[in-house]
Amino acid sequence: MMPLDPAKQQLSEKQRISPEMCETELDEVSELMDLLRMDLEADGEEGKAGRRDAACSKNVLRKQRHWERQLAAKKSKRKEEKQRRRLNRAQESGANTDPAQFTKRVMKAITKERLAAARSTGLKLCVDLSMTDCMSDKEISRLAGQLRRLYGSNKKATRPFHLFLTDLKEDSRLYRECVRMNDGFLSYTMEITEESCLDLFSSETIVYLTPDAQEALETVDADKVYVLGGLVDESIQKKLSHSRATELSVHTTRLPIDEYMVKKNNVKNFHSKILAVNQVFDILLMFSETGSWTQALQMWFPAGKGYVISQESSTCFPAATQTQQEEQ
């Protein structure tokens, strides 16, 4: 045999070695890929842990802020409760208290408490709205405004009345006008019903106030239910409210205007005892708080009606005033 050429022999050896080297190199590459994969997985775990830590931190901060808000709210509530108690004590003792020193939120809470209490302990007053069919649209609008002012006076009262709007049907013009004109009308703290005052109370307890009554009202009684005729009558149809009271067969009275007031000379020689519903209510409300018809009429009877307090008015119904003061 002829010996192989050394160059060919070296090439043959390289060919034999090449597959082994390739396998080795592949193994090394595979190991490098595994290491790289491990590094990436480690980085991923660290990222997840970081995100978990961040999420935990956010939860802790959120809970802390929530707790701080609750704590601040409790402190504010305690402060407002102290203000409410202080205002109630001051007004019950008769001391002068400036409402301006209390927050609106406190005053709103006090008003809400008083109106709620009036439903069980307050004097009862109904506004009879059964006569609206004989009123014009303009008169309906005026009555809706008077009801808003009446409710506003009751809200401000130290001892509010328990109010009822009777014979007010949801499909009536007045109901629609009250909803349109008076913000929050359906949330008023009063009873709004389609029933009449006779459906709610016995006739023996009802006292219907009408300017055409013969008897003057002397005092207010917690056992009675006072009824005002919900009527705006620009055409001056006489005795409408009195006719309604007669129809109901209930007792009638009038404000003691003749007993406490006299006519005052004026250029137009105008004198009238016809008052708006809210004006009658304001007089009743002040009398219930002070026990003085003189003070109530002097404060709330409109000057333009042509009447002033008489000099002898303090001698009228002295027993009624004394009784009312004793009750207070």
Side-chain angles (χ1 to χ4, degrees):
M1 281 183 68
M2 290 181 63
L4 291 172
D5 182 27
K8 290 181 179 180
Q9 186 177 0
Q10 186 176 2
L11 179 59
S12 177
E13 289 175 357
K14 285 182 179 180
Q15 290 174 345
R16 286 196 303 269
I17 295 172
S18 180
E20 296 175 359
M21 290 179 61
C22 288
E23 186 176 350
T24 302
E25 289 176 357
L26 286 173
D27 291 340
E28 291 176 355
V29 170
S30 178
E31 290 177 0
L32 287 172
M33 292 298 291
D34 291 339
L35 290 172
L36 181 59
R37 191 180 299 109
M38 291 174 63
D39 288 340
L40 290 172
E41 290 176 355
D43 290 341
E45 290 297 327
E46 290 178 0
K48 290 180 181 178
R51 286 193 293 273
R52 281 197 298 271
D53 292 341
C56 290
S57 298
K58 288 181 180 179
N59 287 334
V60 170
L61 289 173
R62 186 166 57 251
K63 289 180 180 179
Q64 183 176 356
R65 285 194 295 268
H66 178 67
W67 179 80
E68 289 173 351
R69 285 195 297 268
Q70 282 188 321
L71 185 62
K74 288 180 180 179
K75 288 181 179 179
S76 178
K77 188 175 181 180
R78 284 196 296 269
K79 182 180 178 181
E80 290 170 357
E81 183 62 31
K82 288 180 181 178
Q83 289 182 340
R84 284 202 298 271
R85 287 197 297 266
R86 189 164 79 248
L87 179 60
N88 284 330
R89 284 197 300 268
Q91 291 186 338
E92 287 173 1
S93 64
N96 292 325
T97 307
D98 183 12
Q101 63 182 302
F102 301 100
T103 64
K104 289 183 179 180
R105 185 173 175 180
V106 169
M107 294 305 300
K108 187 175 181 180
I110 292 172
T111 298
K112 187 176 180 179
E113 288 175 1
R114 288 176 179 170
L115 291 174
R119 282 180 152 166
S120 57
T121 61
L123 292 167
K124 298 178 182 64
L125 184 135
C126 298
V127 181
D128 178 12
L129 301 172
S130 63
M131 296 172 280
T132 57
D133 288 343
C134 63
M135 294 165 57
S136 67
D137 290 342
K138 181 181 177 182
E139 291 168 341
I140 290 288
S141 293
R142 288 185 58 189
L143 180 56
Q146 291 176 14
L147 294 177
R148 180 182 66 247
R149 289 189 286 274
L150 183 152
Y151 181 68
S153 294
N154 201 48
K155 283 177 64 178
K156 296 175 184 176
T158 304
R159 298 178 183 179
F161 277 64
H162 183 191
L163 299 179
F164 297 77
L165 300 185
T166 60
D167 290 280
L168 182 57
K169 297 176 174 56
E170 289 190 13
D171 60 350
S172 66
R173 289 179 299 157
L174 179 60
Y175 185 93
R176 292 193 296 269
E177 192 68 0
C178 285
V179 173
R180 185 187 71 83
M181 288 182 57
N182 306 338
D183 291 339
F185 173 73
L186 298 179
S187 300
Y188 281 5
T189 307
M190 61 166 63
E191 316 307 326
I192 300 175
T193 176
E194 295 186 1
E195 296 180 297
S196 72
C197 53
L198 276 183
D199 295 326
L200 302 175
F201 308 101
S202 65
S203 60
E204 293 79 12
T205 63
I206 294 176
V207 178
Y208 205 115
L209 272 78
T210 168
D212 301 304
Q214 295 296 317
E215 181 184 338
L217 181 65
E218 296 184 17
T219 188
V220 291
D221 187 345
D223 295 327
K224 298 295 184 181
V225 179
Y226 297 91
V227 181
L228 306 182
L231 180 66
V232 174
D233 181 22
E234 294 182 344
S235 61
I236 316 297
Q237 303 178 53
K238 292 185 177 181
K239 298 187 176 182
L240 279 177
S241 59
H242 190 271
S243 298
R244 170 61 175 167
T246 302
E247 177 188 334
L248 296 174
S249 300
V250 296
H251 183 62
T252 60
T253 61
R254 56 173 172 79
L255 291 178
I257 298 171
D258 292 335
E259 287 73 15
Y260 286 84
M261 307 188 80
V262 294
K263 292 181 179 180
K264 180 183 178 180
N265 293 330
N266 56 71
V267 176
K268 295 182 179 180
N269 195 29
F270 175 76
H271 304 90
S272 175
K273 303 172 190 176
I274 307 300
L275 304 179
V277 174
N278 58 295
Q279 292 170 340
V280 177
F281 178 74
D282 285 334
I283 293 170
L284 280 177
L285 189 59
M286 176 159 279
F287 175 75
S288 71
E289 293 180 348
T290 64
S292 169
W293 284 116
T294 300
Q295 186 176 347
L297 290 166
Q298 188 169 21
M299 175 66 71
W300 293 110
F301 194 92
K305 295 289 184 177
Y307 283 84
V308 294
I309 296 294
S310 67
Q311 295 296 323
E312 299 81 15
S313 63
S314 59
T315 61
C316 292
F317 297 146
T321 303
Q322 183 178 359
T323 302
Q324 185 66 22
Q325 290 173 342
E326 289 175 355
E327 289 177 357
Q328 291 186 351

